[in-house]
Amino acid sequence: MKLGKVEFCHFLQILALFLCLSGMNQAELTRSRSKPYFQSGRTRTKRSWVWNQFFVLEEYMGTDPLYVGKLHSDVDKGDGSIKYILSGEGASSIFIIDENTGDIHATKRLDREEQAYYTLRAQALDRLTNKPVEPESEFVIKIQDINDNEPKFLDGPYTAGVPEMSPVGTSVVQVTATDADDPTYGNSARVVYSILQGQPYFSVEPKTGVIKTALPNMDREAKDQYLLVIQAKDMVGQNGGLSGTTSVTVTLTDVNDNPPRFPRRSYQYNVPESLPVASVVARIKAADADVGPNAEMEYKIVDGDGLGVFKISVDKDTQEGIITIQKELDFEAKTSYTLRIEAANMHVDPRFLSLGPFSDMTTVKIIVEDVDEPPVFTSRLYSMVVSEAAKVGTIIGTVAAHDPDASNSPVRYSIDRNTDLERYFNIDANSGVITTAKSLDRETNAVHNITVLAMESQNPAQIGRGYVAITILDINDNAPEFAMEYETTVCENAQPGQVIQKISAIDKDDPPNGHQFYFSLTAEAANNHNFTLQDNKDNTATVLTKRNGFRRQEQSVFYLPIFIVDSGSPSLSSTNTLTIRVCDCDADGIAQTCNAEAYILPAGLSTGALIAILACVLTLLVLVLLIVTMRRRKKEPLIFDEERDIRENIVRYDDEGGGEEDTEAFDMAALRNLNIMRDTKTRRDVTPEIQFLSRPTFKSIPDNVIFREFIWERLKEADVDPCAPPYDSLQTYAFEGNGSVAESLSSLDSISSNSDQNYDYLSDWGPRFKRLADMYGSGPDCLYS
């Protein structure tokens, strides 16, 4: 293999360096001496270890164990009597020793970046006695580095910023690559930097990794971001070295290198004259390619005829100039305005003043458009006064309005009735004269606030509003009266001249100089012997007693008429009656009771107690009447009859009839004797609508006809009987016909028969009636006489 001169020189350098390092390590380790060793019965001898090699190359890829070095003691004569033992880091697992020769081999692939050296201990033993012939000694096996790690940018990728327009050589950022190889051995960890992408705008220093600008006047507005690729290569950048890369994003930050400029030299806007104050008229903006604070601007009106009418401010978000109205516009007064507006940067960089002034001017023309405006009153508020004594039709005042437009349309007036619901005022539609329409009362409403409407005759939709405050002047039209309803009392033991009440007065009028009231007793009360009145001259008066010894049983209430006069012009007066009650008072003069009735009632009983007693008596009487009434109702029979009818009742419990009182159908006397007269009786629990007359008796007819007639009659009677229940009823008829010689023997008829009846005929009826003949007969054979 042929080598060039350069390659051959490099090879010789590496070989010489390798031999030098190997010699130095050998010299360090072979000269190590063992400690003095003593054996019993022998003299002390000085021994030494001998090694040939003490480092191993990392990343060895061979199949056989790698020879590391040889351990040898000068005691060893080569006859196999000495045995070598190895201990420490990696002994037996990584490093093995031939116990006969002392040769050490590495059995595994080693990586210096994981562990740079291993510390081991060696010992020589007598093979027969297994006792050390040399003291244990420690030595180090170093791992020799190779270039097996590329440089890495541990902090990448990078981002950085640099101001635009920066001069060449301005530092941007520093990048750093790390190589895991041994920096003390060879060039495996010596890194140099280069730029693979980002030229010609940026450069990098090979040794430090500092990135700098390489071109002047880089403009952010043209391009604001660059992507750089930086390479780091070891072996001082020579061929065969390993390399790594990283990316760097460089952003150009803004500087104020662009002055503001208006896109147009002039602007024109049309606005209606009715636009309210503070409304926005227009928005203008000067273009500035810068951003952030470098693009912040301020606007001002530097010239023009609208300096006091318009103002301009800046929108902080959009950097627009906002033109607004400061005063109302009037087309009839001025139809257009011209403004000279300047826009200037707020933050100027002196380095770029040479680029031109950082401000600009433009012209804004504002055209005022005419609109149909409502009529305008000559005053916003009219104040008028009128006396409350004014008659209907009195003129109060006049309002005036005009059409501000050039047409000057006639105006008609009216009152907004929502502000004059009672219609106290009228206004002349043409002249605007306001007059009274009703009588006024200051005490009801002292001030009337009304709204007057003025509308154009040609366009009634245009309505102007004027406000009128009408104050009602007071006259003395209300008489004075008591300030309150007084509750005045006088004690029975009051002394003459004692004050029993202090009174005052009020007047609904409001005189300019205030009220002045005069109090006195009326003429008919002036000479009374009970009370007198004293005017205190301060709009109050005092009521005093003139005698003592007031008694409630004689007179419990006194009425004192008091005459009150005001100071109006003309003055008004009124008579107010003060009610004075006579009361029983305690020692302190405090009223206890003022009722005169207390003397009439019995001692110890009040009116309330008597009322309670009377109520209890009335309650007892009502209870007694109720009890008596209920008892009388219980004694009354359900069926009205002149005589009590004692009869048998046959009641079947499986009957679904009309209840306990439905027993008329079971009158056995009526059933057993067909010829008996049936009287229809009225039931108390059922009110019949039809009263049936008693039926005629049957004539003597055959038994089968009798039974059929009997059943038929009872059936018809049940069908039409209004007193019968409105449901089916099971009834049993013990009817024997009328063929019996003895006729009926029922005792039910005995209640109406005479007790002197003769029953001697019973003896003629045969043996069956012998017992009855003996009981009721009057013959000599009777048991009873």
Side-chain angles (χ1 to χ4, degrees):
M1 183 176 182
K2 295 182 179 180
L3 299 175
K5 292 182 179 181
V6 177
E7 289 82 359
F8 183 74
C9 291
H10 289 169
F11 176 77
L12 290 178
Q13 292 175 357
I14 293 172
L15 181 60
L17 181 61
F18 178 79
L19 292 174
C20 290
L21 291 174
S22 299
M24 290 175 64
N25 292 336
Q26 225 174 13
E28 289 175 4
L29 298 175
T30 54
R31 289 195 180 98
S32 65
R33 293 288 182 177
S34 62
K35 295 180 182 179
Y37 181 73
F38 296 92
Q39 290 183 347
S40 61
R42 297 183 184 182
T43 60
R44 185 181 66 178
T45 59
K46 188 176 182 181
R47 307 297 181 188
S48 63
W49 288 95
V50 179
W51 287 276
N52 293 330
Q53 189 174 356
F54 307 102
F55 57 89
V56 62
L57 192 65
E58 71 169 332
E59 303 294 347
Y60 171 70
M61 303 297 292
T63 57
D64 297 330
L66 177 65
Y67 179 76
V68 177
K70 184 178 181 65
L71 294 177
H72 182 71
S73 175
D74 54 4
V75 179
D76 188 2
K77 303 301 183 180
D79 55 359
S81 60
I82 301 301
K83 178 174 64 174
Y84 296 96
I85 297 175
L86 188 66
S87 63
E89 291 181 315
S92 301
S93 60
I94 299 176
F95 303 102
I96 59 175
I97 188 170
D98 189 333
E99 63 179 14
N100 296 320
T101 63
D103 292 333
I104 301 174
H105 292 79
T107 60
K108 293 183 179 180
R109 176 182 173 183
L110 301 177
D111 187 0
R112 189 201 67 83
E113 285 71 40
E114 292 182 1
Q115 188 166 344
Y117 61 90
Y118 295 85
T119 303
L120 295 98
R121 293 180 300 277
Q123 194 171 30
L125 302 176
D126 188 288
R127 189 178 294 277
L128 294 177
T129 63
N130 205 30
K131 292 183 178 179
V133 298
E134 291 281 1
E136 186 180 51
S137 182
E138 185 178 272
F139 66 96
V140 176
I141 298 177
K142 292 186 177 181
I143 309 302
Q144 184 178 348
D145 184 49
I146 65 172
N147 189 19
D148 60 343
N149 291 279
E150 73 277 3
K152 294 182 180 179
F153 292 91
L154 301 181
D155 297 330
Y158 297 85
T159 57
V162 64
E164 63 174 332
M165 310 301 289
S166 295
V168 174
T170 302
S171 179
V172 178
V173 68
Q174 183 178 14
V175 297
T176 303
T178 302
D179 197 319
D181 292 324
D182 189 359
T184 63
Y185 175 72
N187 295 323
S188 298
R190 295 182 63 184
V191 178
V192 294
Y193 301 93
S194 61
I195 183 167
L196 301 181
Q197 179 181 324
Q199 297 172 332
Y201 305 102
F202 298 92
S203 63
V204 62
E205 290 187 356
K207 293 182 179 181
T208 62
V210 175
I211 300 174
K212 299 180 178 180
T213 58
L215 285 181
N217 301 327
M218 286 192 292
D219 191 3
R220 184 198 66 84
E221 288 73 34
K223 185 177 182 180
D224 62 348
Q225 198 172 79
Y226 298 86
L227 180 62
L228 283 63
V229 177
I230 306 298
Q231 181 189 63
K233 191 173 183 180
D234 59 12
M235 297 299 292
V236 201
Q238 297 177 2
N239 293 335
L242 302 178
S243 64
T245 61
T246 188
S247 64
V248 180
T249 302
V250 179
T251 302
L252 297 182
T253 58
D254 186 58
V255 297
N256 192 8
D257 59 339
N258 294 280
R261 293 290 181 264
F262 282 106
R264 297 165 56 183
R265 294 294 90 192
S266 64
Y267 298 86
Q268 179 173 315
Y269 298 95
N270 295 347
V271 296
E273 64 173 332
S274 59
L275 203 64
V277 174
S279 298
V280 176
V281 174
R283 286 175 175 262
I284 60 175
K285 183 178 182 181
D288 192 330
D290 298 320
V291 294
N294 297 318
E296 292 182 358
M297 286 176 281
E298 58 181 356
Y299 297 86
K300 60 182 178 180
I301 302 174
V302 296
D303 194 9
D305 54 1
L307 288 175
V309 180
F310 302 93
K311 73 173 182 177
I312 188 168
S313 59
V314 63
D315 188 328
K316 298 297 183 181
D317 297 327
T318 62
Q319 296 301 314
E320 291 178 311
I322 304 173
I323 302 174
T324 55
I325 301 175
Q326 282 187 299
K327 295 181 179 179
E328 292 183 352
L329 302 179
D330 188 0
F331 173 81
E332 288 71 27
K334 190 172 181 61
T335 59
S336 66
Y337 297 89
T338 301
L339 307 174
R340 289 280 294 168
I341 296 177
E342 178 188 59
N345 278 140
M346 298 180 64
H347 310 285
V348 179
D349 193 334
R351 295 177 299 171
F352 306 104
L353 289 177
S354 60
L355 298 179
F358 281 77
S359 63
D360 196 17
M361 301 282 290
T362 189
T363 302
V364 177
K365 187 174 184 179
I366 299 174
I367 305 299
V368 180
E369 296 178 343
D370 186 26
V371 296
D372 191 2
E373 299 175 276
V376 177
F377 283 88
T378 56
S379 175
R380 296 186 61 85
L381 177 63
Y382 294 88
S383 297
M384 302 179 183
V385 294
V386 62
S387 172
E388 64 176 326
K391 297 181 180 180
V392 174
T394 300
I395 296 176
I396 302 173
T398 304
V399 297
H402 69 280
D403 183 7
D405 298 320
S407 59
N408 195 17
S409 175
V411 175
R412 294 182 61 82
Y413 303 95
S414 64
I415 295 177
D416 184 354
R417 291 305 176 183
N418 291 324
T419 61
D420 184 26
L421 297 176
E422 300 296 330
R423 295 181 176 268
Y424 284 109
F425 307 99
N426 287 330
I427 188 170
D428 187 275
N430 297 317
S431 63
V433 174
I434 300 175
T435 58
T436 58
K438 282 185 177 181
S439 297
L440 303 177
D441 185 8
R442 188 203 65 84
E443 288 70 35
T444 302
N445 193 352
V447 178
H448 294 265
N449 294 301
I450 64 173
T451 300
V452 177
L453 306 178
M455 63 183 68
E456 295 182 9
S457 300
Q458 298 178 358
N459 185 7
Q462 294 297 331
I463 301 175
R465 286 173 170 78
Y467 304 98
V468 181
I470 302 175
T471 302
I472 309 303
L473 299 179
D474 184 44
I475 63 171
N476 191 24
D477 58 345
N478 290 277
E481 58 187 14
F482 279 158
M484 59 180 293
E485 185 176 349
Y486 294 101
E487 295 182 0
T488 306
T489 60
V490 61
C491 295
E492 288 183 308
N493 56 357
Q495 299 298 320
Q498 182 175 337
V499 176
I500 61 172
Q501 184 68 61
K502 185 176 182 180
I503 61 174
S504 61
I506 58 173
D507 194 329
K508 294 180 181 180
D509 294 320
D510 188 17
N513 299 324
H515 289 288
Q516 180 62 49
F517 301 114
Y518 305 95
F519 300 87
S520 63
L521 295 177
T522 58
E524 60 271 16
N527 298 322
N528 77 91
H529 302 289
N530 301 311
F531 305 99
T532 185
L533 182 69
Q534 177 182 334
D535 192 341
N536 298 326
K537 307 301 182 182
D538 59 354
N539 289 342
T540 64
T542 303
V543 179
L544 303 94
T545 58
K546 293 178 66 176
R547 68 179 180 88
N548 58 2
F550 295 94
R551 296 182 59 81
R552 285 177 292 166
Q553 63 271 29
E554 295 179 359
Q555 185 173 353
S556 61
V557 179
F558 292 90
Y559 300 100
L560 186 64
I562 298 175
F563 188 71
I564 307 175
V565 182
D566 62 16
S567 58
S569 179
S571 61
L572 296 179
S573 62
S574 66
T575 300
N576 298 263
T577 302
L578 183 67
T579 302
I580 305 173
R581 296 184 180 277
V582 181
C583 299
D584 180 22
C585 302
D586 59 11
D588 297 328
I590 300 175
Q592 300 296 316
T593 177
C594 301
N595 295 327
E597 291 81 359
Y599 289 92
I600 304 173
L601 297 176
L605 291 178
S606 63
T607 305
L610 290 177
I611 293 174
I613 293 172
L614 291 176
C616 292
V617 171
L618 290 176
T619 304
L620 290 175
L621 289 176
V622 171
L623 288 175
V624 170
L625 290 175
L626 288 174
I627 292 172
V628 172
T629 303
M630 290 179 67
R631 287 184 176 180
R632 291 187 63 183
R633 291 192 62 184
K634 286 183 179 179
K635 293 180 180 180
E636 292 180 1
L638 292 176
I639 301 175
F640 295 104
D641 196 357
E642 295 178 359
E643 300 181 27
R644 178 171 301 278
D645 186 11
I646 301 175
R647 53 188 176 173
E648 295 179 0
N649 291 331
I650 301 176
V651 179
R652 294 177 63 95
Y653 291 98
D654 58 350
D655 183 16
E656 299 178 358
E660 295 180 358
E661 293 184 356
D662 187 21
T663 57
E664 285 189 273
F666 304 102
D667 189 352
M668 297 306 297
L671 295 179
R672 291 174 176 172
N673 190 351
L674 184 62
N675 298 325
I676 194 169
M677 180 66 68
R678 294 173 55 85
D679 295 333
T680 303
K681 297 179 176 60
T682 303
R683 288 174 51 178
R684 291 180 57 83
D685 59 339
V686 178
T687 303
E689 297 179 359
I690 303 174
Q691 297 294 333
F692 284 86
L693 297 176
S694 60
R695 297 182 181 277
T697 59
F698 287 92
K699 297 180 180 180
S700 178
I701 52 178
D703 288 342
N704 57 347
V705 178
I706 292 174
F707 288 116
R708 182 164 52 254
E709 290 292 336
F710 173 78
I711 295 173
W712 178 251
E713 289 295 331
R714 294 297 183 268
L715 179 60
K716 289 193 298 179
E717 189 175 296
D719 288 340
V720 299
D721 187 3
C723 301
Y727 37 78
D728 294 338
S729 177
L730 180 62
Q731 301 178 4
T732 302
Y733 302 110
F735 178 56
E736 299 178 355
N738 57 359
S740 174
V741 178
E743 296 183 351
S744 176
L745 299 179
S746 174
S747 63
L748 297 175
D749 293 334
S750 63
I751 189 171
S752 61
S753 63
N754 191 355
S755 61
D756 298 330
Q757 184 177 358
N758 188 4
Y759 293 96
D760 292 339
Y761 58 87
L762 294 176
S763 60
D764 299 334
W765 289 358
R768 296 183 179 180
F769 299 97
K770 185 177 184 304
R771 182 64 176 170
L772 289 175
D774 293 339
M775 293 176 62
Y776 292 96
S778 57
D781 299 324
C782 290
L783 296 176
Y784 305 96
S785 59

